[in-house]
Amino acid sequence: MTDQVTNRQLFFIIVITLVGFSIIELPKSLAESSGRGAWITLIIASISFGVLAAILAYLGYLFQGKTLFEYSQLLVGKLLASFFVMIYLVYFTIILAFLNRSAAEVIKTDLLIKTPIWYTMLFMLIFSGYAASKGITNVGRILEYYGVIIIFLAICIHIAMFFQGDLIDIKPFYNSAEKIKYFTALPEVIIAFLGFEVLSIIPFSRHNGKKAVVYVIGAMLFVGLFYILIVETSFMVLSVEDTKNYKNTLIAAMRRVEIKHLQFLVRLDIIFFMAWIFALFSTFTVVTCTAAGLLKKLFPSLKRQWNLIVILVVAYMLGVLPSTRLASQILTVTTKNLGLVPAGVIPIILFVIAKVKRYG
Amino acid sequence: MGNKNFRSLTMVLFVGLILVGCWDSGNIEQQNNVSLVIVDFNEEQYSFYIELANVLGGNLRDDQGGGGYSILHASGPSLIDARDQLNRRSDYPVFLGATRAVVFTQRMADKGIEEYINRIRREYDYRKSVVLLTSPTEPFLLISDETENDRSVGDAIEHTLENQKNEGQTVVVTVGDVLQIIALENVGFLLPQISSEEEENTLTGYTVFKDAKRIGTIPAEERKGIAYFLCSNPAFYYETKDENNHFIFNVVMVKKNIKPLYKDNQITFEIDMSFECELLYMNKITTITKEQQKHLSEELTKMIEDDVISAIKDSQRTYRTDYLGFYKYFRAKFLKEFKEMNWEEKYTQAEIKVKVKAKIEGGQGVDFNEKEE
């Protein structure tokens, strides 16, 4: 059987796909929306999205060896199943195109000032496309290593930031006067928790068992805690008030921190960029792999390479053509408003039908 | 076969991409690496004085036969005009990532530094951990200082501050700190002041800023009280005298607790500070009795308390702005109220209660007579 991953690989696939891009702007959107209570918003979000991810994982567990396309055929018929897969395919292609665009813009403003965006985008897609051509099983294996490196580096950097900042800047941790803000800020963090829909193309095997659901929930909660560490330490270094003045807040925060004892590695942003580009590459690889996998479900006769090339070309053209403002609007609309359809609505519909039809 | 073609295609693309190279690549020798920036405003003209490292000369000073450091000056009616002239004068692109310190002249500080700070925020290559200072000395005098050990004046200024900070003697203010403060309204800040005294660059005090404009200067001799609020491990020498002896103490702050209260529109701060006072030596070596110990401890408590109170008084009455960071303690507890109030106004009316505890300890070779006589 192909396309299988172990539970541990599943954990890293979800964590890395989620954190890849959204961390850059997360501190800004939280500083503006929920302020010093950002950690509460993040906990609520990680639990809610944990439940949605668990539903998708549970469906995978119920229908072992089948992906979303196959089990939705059983549940809602072939036509509707193809429609669902279409939605996922369009969604992932748009995400790939515009995440790549946004990442290239960040790289242009903060790292490679003169390198044109079309080039950075092309470079990213070709590399992740090549990795994705090896199939999700191999991608899972790479991510197991990359995941450890990325998470280890990120945690080290943010612990260093914690000691450079001052805890008093992020107090009070809870302010009863701002209770409602903690909830109204939720739409701002949706983008940060999307990405677990990659489960739709990963068939679970007997070896994954029921534990897979636990690993998926664990990954979502881990991401929540990871975000709290990132956001709070950024607030400590930048201050909540000044965080609002930056677009790429995390990079701005990195630029504030220096550890004199590290001699030639005094500036942390070098390590950060390394880890972040690793993470971006991993995210794009998983998303490309997912989109190509979905396309194959719709057109089974197409060869894998052609699937990939179609996805990469479409995603590249989509991402490179619009103006900066239009591109960021499309990304916001897709993630904020439409993102909940593949992440929440479709899995819930399928779950309810599965229960009504007495599967499991 | 198809698979093989696909592979060769990707290989060709990879190699092609790598050969294209990077648009941003640049040789370190083809950059003007800045180590110090002095910003001046004189007769309606903004000026930059920058110190540049000559990488090809191996960073040796002139007398060692190397290229050493060179100084570049540019001016214009606005900051962009001055920068424009600077660009037209430098043989390679100006690279700010290696800047050690930014010094504002007193005239510039009077004019206001907010624009320049926001400029630094935007300049991607400027480190946000660059130290900021002010200076009443003319820029050319400051930048042509002979350093003792450092390679450049920029390095020397940063190291002087860094060493003093490690000794617990001064507060160091970076671009990041000032960016945090100007994001708030109604909070002031201090910048260390450096002046050329007897042809040596010397830390001579602190410049007080309100709305990012200079409103006064506090001399270095009065810095103790400020350090107790702003330094992480302040330590100073104190000297007490009685009719026949002098006592020299090393006073180290071990605990600081600032508790904000807010009742009936009135802010109160309760400050609790504990100090360990190590008796280093005396003018004449004698045994110190219990009674003497008590007397010395009272005297030290009084001296430290005076320093703390005068620092608070300066901030509340003389300059009427909060540069001692009281707002952080208040905001951490009363966020909603803080957002709604005019902090500067409320702060100047705040009641501040100070409690100082000084505990005396004998250093090496000092004999405390613990027994009752």
Side-chain angles (χ1 to χ4, degrees):
Chain A
M1 200 148 120
T2 53
D3 291 347
Q4 284 185 1
V5 294
T6 66
N7 282 341
R8 194 163 0 132
Q9 287 164 358
L10 201 61
F11 176 89
F12 283 109
I13 288 178
I14 291 178
V15 170
I16 300 303
T17 312
L18 262 64
V19 300
F21 175 73
S22 36
I23 45 169
I24 297 290
E25 289 181 23
L26 192 62
K28 179 191 168 77
S29 41
L30 280 168
E32 282 169 348
S33 54
S34 65
R36 289 175 166 76
W39 65 278
I40 301 175
T41 310
L42 285 171
I43 286 181
I44 300 169
S46 77
I47 293 173
S48 338
F49 282 95
V51 171
L52 294 181
I55 291 177
L56 208 50
Y58 182 73
L59 286 169
Y61 159 75
L62 273 188
F63 301 94
Q64 264 170 21
K66 293 189 171 65
T67 65
L68 184 123
F69 179 62
E70 284 112 23
Y71 61 72
S72 51
Q73 279 182 7
L74 290 177
L75 294 172
V76 293
K78 190 156 187 196
L79 195 69
L80 210 51
S82 306
F83 177 65
F84 283 171
V85 171
M86 264 312 268
I87 293 178
Y88 278 91
L89 177 63
V90 171
Y91 168 74
F92 273 109
T93 315
I94 292 179
I95 291 283
L96 178 64
F98 293 99
L99 272 193
N100 191 13
R101 172 67 182 257
S102 310
E105 299 224 358
V106 174
I107 290 174
K108 189 173 163 65
T109 29
D110 280 295
L111 188 63
L112 303 171
I113 317 296
K114 290 174 192 154
T115 308
I117 283 177
W118 66 262
Y119 176 77
T120 317
M121 288 179 65
L122 187 68
F123 204 74
M124 276 288 188
L125 279 187
I126 287 180
F127 273 94
S128 22
Y130 178 72
S133 72
K134 301 296 172 196
I136 192 81
T137 309
N138 290 311
V139 170
R141 284 177 194 151
I142 316 173
L143 252 63
E144 220 176 323
Y145 293 104
Y146 280 11
V148 173
I149 298 172
I150 295 164
I151 293 168
F152 174 75
L153 285 177
I155 289 178
C156 286
I157 294 172
H158 286 279
I159 287 176
M161 281 168 76
F162 180 86
F163 285 108
Q164 292 236 329
D166 195 346
L167 212 53
I168 200 160
D169 283 325
I170 52 167
K171 283 181 182 170
F173 297 124
Y174 174 75
N175 185 2
S176 57
E178 293 183 333
K179 247 181 300 188
I180 299 172
K181 271 170 86 181
Y182 303 152
F183 291 91
T184 51
L186 280 171
E188 299 299 322
V189 298
I190 292 179
I191 181 174
F193 286 93
L194 292 180
F196 62 85
E197 308 90 307
V198 294
L199 290 174
S200 58
I201 57 131
I202 301 174
F204 288 0
S205 72
R206 202 159 33 83
H207 301 293
N208 292 100
K210 211 170 190 172
K211 260 193 169 167
V213 183
V214 181
Y215 271 84
V216 168
I217 297 174
M220 296 303 284
L221 296 182
F222 177 84
V223 167
L225 293 177
F226 187 68
Y227 283 157
I228 292 175
L229 178 71
I230 288 172
V231 171
E232 296 291 331
T233 50
S234 302
F235 284 176
M236 279 169 79
V237 172
L238 287 176
S239 88
V240 181
E241 287 77 12
D242 198 33
T243 302
K244 297 170 191 164
N245 295 329
Y246 298 89
K247 189 166 183 289
N248 308 326
T249 16
L250 192 59
I251 296 172
M254 288 301 149
R255 292 243 151 98
R256 294 282 173 88
V257 186
E258 273 187 11
I259 302 172
K260 293 261 168 10
H261 307 291
L262 285 178
Q263 305 295 337
F264 69 96
L265 268 181
V266 167
R267 290 180 67 163
L268 283 186
D269 52 352
I270 302 163
I271 311 171
F272 167 77
F273 274 119
M274 199 179 85
W276 182 58
I277 286 170
F278 253 120
L280 276 183
F281 165 74
S282 311
T283 304
F284 294 154
T285 305
V286 175
V287 177
T288 313
C289 205
T290 313
L294 289 163
L295 190 64
K296 192 166 169 58
K297 300 287 172 200
L298 287 181
F299 303 99
S301 53
L302 256 177
K303 277 197 170 161
R304 190 178 236 173
Q305 292 88 327
W306 288 111
N307 276 324
L308 263 176
I309 290 171
V310 169
I311 294 290
L312 292 177
V313 170
V314 171
Y316 182 71
M317 295 319 267
L318 259 182
V320 89
L321 290 177
S323 68
T324 304
R325 189 186 283 181
L326 183 65
S328 87
Q329 275 169 356
I330 296 175
L331 184 63
T332 319
V333 171
T334 321
T335 51
K336 230 187 220 174
N337 308 341
L338 307 177
L340 287 177
V341 176
V345 178
I346 296 177
I348 290 173
I349 294 175
L350 293 175
F351 177 74
V352 171
I353 296 174
K355 279 290 152 196
V356 171
K357 291 196 172 175
R358 293 178 190 278
Y359 282 95
Chain B
M1 209 35 211
N3 203 9
K4 212 170 176 187
N5 281 339
F6 181 69
R7 267 189 210 166
S8 14
L9 182 72
T10 29
M11 282 305 278
V12 169
L13 272 174
F14 273 17
V15 174
L17 279 172
I18 291 160
L19 285 178
V20 171
C22 184
W23 275 256
D24 288 86
S25 75
N27 200 328
I28 189 164
E29 284 149 16
Q30 286 165 1
Q31 281 182 337
N32 273 341
N33 293 302
V34 178
S35 57
L36 172 69
V37 177
I38 302 180
V39 192
D40 189 16
F41 180 74
N42 197 9
E43 293 169 358
E44 300 302 312
Q45 293 273 314
Y46 288 93
S47 298
F48 291 125
Y49 296 81
I50 60 172
E51 189 189 36
L52 297 169
N54 299 339
V55 180
L56 285 172
N59 280 355
L60 296 170
R61 295 189 67 86
D62 282 340
D63 49 0
Q64 289 167 303
Y69 281 76
S70 45
I71 298 166
L72 215 54
H73 170 238
S75 58
S78 72
L79 285 170
I80 33 171
D81 291 321
R83 176 63 196 256
D84 179 49
Q85 196 182 54
L86 186 72
N87 288 345
R88 285 186 278 119
R89 279 184 185 175
S90 48
D91 34 13
Y92 287 122
V94 174
F95 177 65
L96 293 162
T99 312
R100 301 278 137 212
V102 173
V103 179
F104 299 104
T105 61
Q106 196 149 308
R107 294 182 290 258
M108 180 69 193
D110 288 332
K111 168 88 179 153
I113 62 169
E114 190 162 356
E115 185 189 347
Y116 194 73
I117 296 290
N118 279 322
R119 212 181 138 79
I120 298 183
R121 183 206 296 281
R122 194 60 199 94
E123 295 270 356
Y124 80 100
D125 57 347
Y126 240 131
R127 287 152 63 234
K128 303 300 179 277
S129 47
V130 171
V131 296
L132 295 177
L133 300 101
T134 64
S135 175
T137 311
E138 284 305 312
F140 259 121
L141 201 59
L142 203 68
I143 209 166
S144 50
D145 176 58
E146 287 276 327
T147 61
E148 301 99 60
N149 271 313
D150 264 312
R151 291 182 310 200
S152 74
V153 181
D155 279 306
I157 292 176
E158 193 195 26
H159 289 150
T160 312
L161 272 176
E162 202 58 41
N163 295 333
Q164 287 278 300
K165 181 193 169 191
N166 292 341
E167 297 289 321
Q169 300 274 309
T170 190
V171 53
V172 172
V173 184
T174 64
V175 174
D177 298 331
V178 175
L179 282 172
Q180 278 195 24
I181 292 169
I182 61 173
L184 295 164
E185 279 172 32
N186 301 317
V187 176
F189 60 93
L190 296 177
L191 290 188
Q193 187 195 56
I194 193 159
S195 335
S196 188
E197 269 184 357
E198 295 165 1
E199 295 185 1
E200 283 295 339
N201 285 348
T202 317
L203 291 176
T204 47
Y206 297 95
T207 307
V208 184
F209 281 86
K210 186 176 177 172
D211 301 327
K213 287 193 176 97
R214 188 186 89 98
I215 53 165
T217 304
I218 300 169
E221 293 72 31
E222 293 172 23
R223 72 185 188 282
K224 289 178 186 165
I226 295 171
Y228 294 141
F229 286 103
L230 298 177
C231 292
S232 49
N233 47 354
F236 289 98
Y237 293 121
Y238 278 77
E239 186 184 5
T240 62
K241 292 174 187 169
D242 61 18
E243 48 287 6
N244 41 25
N245 212 347
H246 290 196
F247 303 90
I248 313 296
F249 287 94
N250 182 22
V251 175
V252 180
M253 188 164 88
V254 285
K255 203 187 96 190
K256 176 175 73 181
N257 196 3
I258 298 180
K259 193 177 160 198
L261 300 166
Y262 190 56
K263 219 175 178 185
D264 305 328
N265 243 345
Q266 170 65 37
I267 302 171
T268 313
F269 284 103
E270 288 177 0
I271 303 176
D272 215 335
M273 287 174 169
S274 303
F275 294 86
E276 252 172 34
C277 313
E278 186 192 4
L279 178 55
L280 291 178
Y281 62 89
M282 294 162 267
N283 197 11
K284 283 184 208 121
I285 298 177
T286 53
T287 309
I288 300 173
T289 62
K290 271 239 153 134
E291 197 182 318
Q292 251 178 321
Q293 266 189 61
K294 200 179 154 208
H295 176 69
L296 282 172
S297 159
E298 278 169 8
E299 206 167 328
L300 275 172
T301 309
K302 178 84 183 53
M303 286 169 84
I304 299 168
E305 215 170 65
D306 283 349
D307 284 336
V308 173
I309 289 171
S310 91
I312 297 171
K313 223 168 133 189
D314 271 353
S315 144
Q316 273 192 311
R317 305 275 168 272
T318 319
Y319 300 111
R320 307 183 68 79
T321 181
D322 175 22
Y323 51 76
L324 295 175
F326 278 103
Y327 74 93
K328 286 192 176 186
Y329 297 92
F330 186 79
R331 184 182 62 187
K333 213 160 173 199
F334 304 100
L335 182 64
K336 187 170 162 268
E337 293 82 350
F338 179 78
K339 282 181 179 168
E340 287 162 1
M341 69 175 51
N342 178 344
W343 176 246
E344 215 154 70
E345 196 187 304
K346 286 277 177 206
Y347 168 70
T348 48
Q349 297 157 3
E351 189 189 348
I352 301 182
K353 296 175 184 162
V354 180
K355 214 160 94 190
V356 170
K357 247 186 259 161
K359 193 175 149 212
I360 295 191
E361 277 170 18
Q364 281 203 358
V366 174
D367 187 13
F368 276 168
N369 188 356
E370 297 295 340
K371 289 178 211 133
E372 296 290 336
E373 287 186 67

